[in-house]
Amino acid sequence: MGLACGPAHADRRVALIIGNSAYKSAPKLGNPVNDATLVGGMFKKAGFDSVDVRLDLSASEMRRMLREFAGRTRDADMAVIYYAGHGIELDGNNYLIPTDATLETDGDVLDETIPVERALFAVEPAKQLRLIILDACRDNPFSKTMKRTLASRAIGRGLAKVEPTSPNTMIAFAAKAGSTASDGDSRNSPFAVALVEHLPKPGLDLRKAFGFVRDDVLKTTGYKQEPYVYGSLGGDDVPLVAKQAPTGPQANPQEAIRRDYELALQLATRDGWEAFLAAYPEGFYANLAKGQLNKIAAEETRASAEQKARAAEQEKARLMTERAQKAEQEKAAAAAKAAEEARIAAEKKKEIEQAKAEAAERERKAAEAAAAKALAEKQAAEKAKAELAAKQAAERAEQAAKPAADRQMPEVEQKVAALSPAPASTLSAADLTKSVQSELRRVGCLSASADGDWNAVSQRSLTLFNKYAGTQFDAKLASTDALDALKAKPGRVCPLVCNFGFKADGDQCVKITCRAGYRVGEDNECEKIQEKKPVAREESRRRDQDRKEAESTAAKPQASGQMICGSSGCRPIAKGCRLGSVPHPSNPSFKIPGEVCN
């Protein structure tokens, strides 16, 4: 299966679907035609530029269809062939059986069938994705009646394992090599149903899609049939249908509820709010609607109380007009007073409920504003994340474009582990400087401490690293690229050079101490002092004094007495030679530390 490097919706995708059911020399198959029609419809819905569905083809028709399809794949990015029908394996090779094949002998297989390699040849011109799906692992009826012309010729059960030789190519079998597939009891085979279910999912990588297909088929067939995929893959996701990125602001999930709430608010009736609560019984807007209902109930109570008070007033006036008895008048007056008090209480309750409703409305507007702000911040964060990812990708591309010479250094000089690209550094300038200085100390190019000050000593150390590592980093500043290159070095890069009278001990030079009767010779090794006759006692005393002074102080680098260290250890410079730069044995254009002898 090939990997699509660009957006899938910008690629040209073509598919050829073949379903053979009506075999002339074998019992008719019920599912292949149905499966081909189902899968072809799936590719059409997936937006393929060309989907050619062909049913019950003879050998000549299959060859013609494959030839024409190969012509369409020349300018295609993705090419897919789906075949449902009978197939056969002969001597490790797989063949697709047309409807007019008779296969009386095993020799007829070469003449009357279509080799799978022919289908691979048809999808070969596709630039990015080459996929062949074979639902042809059914129990083959031809093998039971076929005559063998050669006893050693093997006719297998199901299809044989296939390893595509072309990159970015994958072959999917309905059943593992050497096993057969089931048609099932329904209109379509379990394999076809699973393909249509998982392959067209937007953004789903085809490797995961075929994994889900495998799980569904195993479950459906009681773990008797296991689909299998052969071929090589890359690292990027390859969806059959690309997941469409949002092109505008994402819709608020409660937008529809908000619109209905505002419509009910405009109606401002009990029926409107009760209809809203029937549709949305829970949530923030439901609570607001309940508050509005309480407000309407309070208004209705106030109106009822006001009506009762008016009726009481009318009754009082009637009694007074009719000169009713004083008791009746007092009773009417009491009723009127009570009605007035109820009206006042209802008015106050209305004011309280109205205040609550107004407060709830303010909270609603504040919540909507907060939601809009959060959505805007989320979109800004996603945009910044996308820009950061693009920047990181550009930096990785620039890092990958470094001179190929870095990759050609010998293993002793460049033992770099194959690591995944690290995320962009978030170190501060001071921390980055300290990290580079620490790595320079580790590879033997800096003797000073890592103090975070990128001074002349640090710049000379990075220049020395460039010299022996073959890099070209700017020594005037500490960079993340230089830090990554330093971390990639497994050991010392800059050679350890010791003065006369000193020897290398790990990463430092220590003074050579000889036992009594021995002294440091010209080869920087202890040698026995030769006894001489006391001829010139004063001159001998002066030579001994000079020798003691030379041993007690660090001598300047000389042609002899210097040490050179490499991957195999440290040794002294040969007599008559000096430390210098010599061409690398495998790449003469690079210089490495070594002995220069006249």
Side-chain angles (χ1 to χ4, degrees), residues 121-195:
F121 181 85
V123 299
E124 182 68 22
K127 301 178 183 66
Q128 295 175 359
L129 172 62
R130 308 177 187 96
L131 175 62
I132 295 179
I133 305 174
L134 298 180
D135 192 356
C137 305
R138 296 169 173 83
D139 192 10
N140 184 11
F142 293 97
S143 61
K144 300 176 181 179
T145 59
M146 184 184 300
K147 297 180 181 179
R148 306 296 197 272
T149 59
L150 189 63
S152 61
R153 183 166 292 158
I155 298 178
R157 183 172 180 265
L159 297 181
K161 178 180 177 181
V162 177
E163 289 296 343
T165 58
S166 300
N168 301 330
T169 303
M170 178 161 280
I171 301 179
F173 283 4
K176 186 188 296 186
S179 61
T180 59
S182 171
D183 278 337
D185 299 327
S186 60
R187 176 181 173 83
N188 298 103
S189 69
F191 184 61
V193 172
L195 288 175

Side-chain angles (χ1 to χ4, degrees), residues 374-425:
L375 181 60
E377 290 176 351
K378 179 181 178 183
Q379 292 173 352
E382 290 177 353
K383 181 178 179 182
K385 182 178 179 182
E387 292 176 353
L388 178 60
K391 182 179 178 181
Q392 292 176 355
E395 290 178 355
R396 290 195 295 269
E398 181 181 356
Q399 181 70 18
K402 285 185 178 180
D406 289 348
R407 299 191 297 272
Q408 297 174 357
M409 291 295 289
E411 184 178 359
V412 71
E413 293 293 329
Q414 186 173 350
K415 296 180 179 178
V416 181
L419 300 176
S420 300
S425 176

Side-chain angles (χ1 to χ4, degrees), residues 78-124:
M78 298 183 183
V80 182
I81 293 179
Y82 171 85
Y83 173 79
H86 278 309
I88 190 171
E89 179 261 321
L90 179 65
D91 287 341
N93 296 315
N94 297 320
Y95 300 88
L96 308 180
I97 303 177
T99 57
D100 60 347
T102 58
L103 303 184
E104 295 179 354
T105 67
D106 52 6
D108 295 337
V109 173
L110 302 177
D111 299 326
E112 299 179 2
T113 63
I114 308 298
V116 172
E117 283 76 12
R118 183 64 184 86
L120 288 169
F121 181 85
V123 299
E124 182 68 22

Side-chain angles (χ1 to χ4, degrees), residues 155-488:
I155 298 178
R157 183 172 180 265
L159 297 181
K161 178 180 177 181
V162 177
E163 289 296 343
T165 58
S166 300
N168 301 330
T169 303
M170 178 161 280
I171 301 179
F173 283 4
K176 186 188 296 186
S179 61
T180 59
S182 171
D183 278 337
D185 299 327
S186 60
R187 176 181 173 83
N188 298 103
S189 69
F191 184 61
V193 172
L195 288 175
V196 175
E197 173 66 21
H198 297 290
L199 287 188
K201 289 182 179 179
L204 180 62
D205 181 61
L206 283 178
R207 289 162 289 187
K208 290 185 178 180
F210 278 113
F212 293 147
V213 169
R214 168 191 173 274
D215 295 342
D216 286 0
V217 174
L218 280 172
K219 184 177 180 181
T220 303
T221 61
Y223 296 90
K224 296 179 180 179
Q225 176 182 340
E226 180 183 7
Y228 221 81
V229 180
Y230 302 93
S232 61
L233 300 173
D236 296 334
D237 286 348
V238 186
L240 189 67
V241 178
K243 185 176 182 180
Q244 298 296 331
T247 57
Q250 297 182 2
N252 189 338
Q254 290 192 327
E255 184 66 23
I257 303 177
R258 182 184 66 80
R259 287 197 301 269
D260 290 346
Y261 176 87
E262 292 178 349
L263 179 59
L265 189 64
Q266 292 176 4
L267 295 175
T269 63
R270 177 180 291 274
D271 292 339
W273 289 119
E274 288 178 349
F276 178 85
L277 285 173
Y280 310 106
E282 301 292 341
F284 174 70
Y285 286 98
N287 294 332
L288 295 179
K290 292 175 183 177
Q292 293 292 340
L293 268 180
N294 293 336
K295 177 182 174 182
I296 292 175
E299 174 62 24
E300 292 174 347
T301 304
R302 184 200 64 79
S304 176
E306 185 177 1
Q307 184 179 4
K308 290 180 180 180
R310 190 181 303 110
E313 285 290 337
Q314 293 175 354
E315 181 66 17
K316 178 182 176 182
R318 185 185 65 80
L319 291 175
M320 289 180 63
T321 303
E322 296 178 355
R323 297 178 181 183
Q325 295 180 358
K326 184 179 179 179
E328 292 180 355
Q329 290 179 354
E330 289 177 353
K331 182 179 179 180
K337 181 180 179 181
E340 182 64 18
E341 290 176 351
R343 183 188 66 79
I344 294 173
E347 189 72 29
K348 290 182 178 179
K349 184 176 180 181
K350 174 192 173 183
E351 293 176 355
I352 293 173
E353 293 298 337
Q354 186 172 1
K356 289 182 179 179
E358 291 174 354
E361 186 67 19
R362 288 193 297 271
E363 291 177 359
R364 177 183 72 85
K365 293 181 179 179
E368 290 178 356
K373 181 179 179 182
L375 181 60
E377 290 176 351
K378 179 181 178 183
Q379 292 173 352
E382 290 177 353
K383 181 178 179 182
K385 182 178 179 182
E387 292 176 353
L388 178 60
K391 182 179 178 181
Q392 292 176 355
E395 290 178 355
R396 290 195 295 269
E398 181 181 356
Q399 181 70 18
K402 285 185 178 180
D406 289 348
R407 299 191 297 272
Q408 297 174 357
M409 291 295 289
E411 184 178 359
V412 71
E413 293 293 329
Q414 186 173 350
K415 296 180 179 178
V416 181
L419 300 176
S420 300
S425 176
T426 58
L427 295 176
S428 63
D431 293 339
L432 178 61
T433 301
K434 284 186 178 181
S435 298
V436 173
Q437 289 175 333
S438 298
E439 291 298 319
L440 286 171
R441 284 176 56 84
R442 183 180 65 81
V443 298
C445 298
L446 176 64
S447 58
S449 61
D451 55 2
D453 182 17
W454 193 253
N455 49 27
V457 175
S458 300
Q459 295 177 13
R460 286 196 299 272
S461 300
L462 184 54
T463 302
L464 195 62
F465 175 81
N466 286 335
K467 176 181 178 181
Y468 291 110
T471 57
Q472 298 179 353
F473 297 114
D474 186 2
K476 295 181 181 179
L477 52 87
S479 63
T480 56
D481 292 339
L483 179 60
D484 294 339
L486 286 163
K487 288 182 177 180

